Amino acid sequence: MKYSQANKQLYMLTAIEAESVKRMPTMDKGKKSTGFVLQMNIFDPFSLELKNKYFVEHPKLTAYADEHLKAKRKYLGIIQDFKLNDDNTITYMFEEMDNYTVTNTYTSYTNGRMSTHTSTHFYTDLGSMGIVNMDQSGKELRSYAIAKDQKAEATLYMFDLYSRKMSNWNFRGQGYSYNNLSGFYSYDYMFVNDKEYVIYNENVRNTESEKETTKDNKSMGRISLTNTIYAYFDGSKVVKSYLFGDPKNKDENRFCQLEMNTAAEDGKSFATMMIERKGRDKQAYIVWVNF
């Protein structure tokens, strides 16, 4: 839920199981999951009168993903956040997501006795990102998608970009959450000087490749071998650049903890934690990024 200072309206975005409203799903969390649709509800916060409501559909995003990403299945990324813009449009942020578990069973013998141990690990595959711009009536104005292939050792949910800035930072928890580095995964979004930027950690190969297809997009791999990049859509294609400068040396990387990103009030800069790796040495810095 968000409040618009521009038109004094309250916006409530809701994910609904598609079957319950007899509609085809526009979002899911993997092939075996329940499908969802997304509904925007716009209220007058003083009278609580419902001014408008509509299902968020994005045929232009689907068409862009089909043409440029050439994925094997229709784009059904789940909602991560939305932004109310000064020009009275709304930007929706989507991301492909698939939750699953892997259970391993081990057998050991002690003093002739057999014992069985089971461990379960929770994972989330994070795929291509979708950015959709709509007017107040729900008409899709412009959309594009960026291929991405990440695997976080944690269970992540829809609206993660919206909620993670209001929660604890995830970094090396205890027990089963020791490998939860989800704060380095997914992406962030900024709109500065009439241009929107998608910020995420990516390996060098994908950053420097001009190919947009998911088939040519290599899995991101280890966080410490990535660099933070910013990407924007120039009207025909996605342009990518290194946020902290070209590493040049193959044994150097500079990446950031995305859930620590904290924007200034004017929205034109943000602070974050950047980690610089040189060989086996890693140093963490608090940095300001100005656009």
Side-chain angles (χ1 to χ4, degrees), residues 148-288:
K148 178 171 63 64
D149 185 0
Q150 301 175 336
K151 179 182 292 185
E153 194 165 336
T155 299
L156 303 180
Y157 304 94
M158 66 175 68
F159 289 109
D160 188 58
L161 299 189
Y162 172 80
S163 62
R164 71 182 181 183
K165 293 179 181 178
M166 297 177 280
S167 62
N168 294 330
W169 295 334
N170 291 296
F171 187 79
R172 294 295 189 201
Q174 295 182 349
Y176 71 89
S177 64
Y178 179 76
N179 290 322
N180 182 3
L181 300 174
S182 57
F184 292 92
Y185 293 82
S186 192
Y187 69 102
D188 201 2
Y189 171 93
M190 292 189 70
F191 187 81
V192 183
N193 298 328
D194 297 324
K195 184 179 288 187
E196 55 189 8
Y197 298 96
V198 176
I199 301 168
Y200 60 107
N201 294 315
E202 183 61 283
N203 60 51
V204 172
R205 172 182 166 178
N206 293 339
T207 303
E208 298 185 351
S209 173
E210 295 184 357
K211 296 179 179 179
E212 293 187 77
T213 62
T214 55
K215 181 182 70 173
D216 294 305
N217 192 73
K218 181 182 178 182
S219 178
M220 186 186 72
R222 292 167 51 194
I223 286 292
S224 59
L225 298 180
T226 68
N227 295 281
T228 303
I229 69 168
Y230 66 94
Y232 62 90
F233 183 63
D234 69 0
S236 60
K237 65 181 183 303
V238 173
V239 180
K240 305 174 187 177
S241 297
Y242 293 102
L243 186 65
F244 303 122
D246 189 338
K248 295 181 180 178
N249 190 327
K250 292 183 178 180
D251 205 27
E252 293 185 10
N253 299 88
R254 289 184 288 271
F255 52 97
C256 72
Q257 226 278 20
L258 294 167
E259 67 183 355
M260 291 186 181
N261 290 3
T262 304
E265 288 188 9
D266 62 6
K268 295 182 179 180
S269 62
F270 70 92
T272 190
M273 181 183 75
M274 181 197 75
I275 297 176
E276 183 177 55
R277 183 189 71 86
K278 293 183 178 180
R280 294 186 177 183
D281 181 59
K282 295 178 184 176
Q283 296 289 333
Y285 303 89
I286 300 299
V287 298
W288 275 100

Side-chain angles (χ1 to χ4, degrees), residues 100-104 118-123 151:
Y100 60 97
T101 60
V102 175
T103 300
N104 297 309
T118 300
S119 65
T120 301
H121 298 270
F122 300 87
Y123 296 94
K151 179 182 292 185

Side-chain angles (χ1 to χ4, degrees), residues 103-115:
T103 300
N104 297 309
T105 302
Y106 307 91
T107 301
S108 62
Y109 293 87
T110 304
N111 297 326
R113 294 183 178 181
M114 183 181 74
S115 58

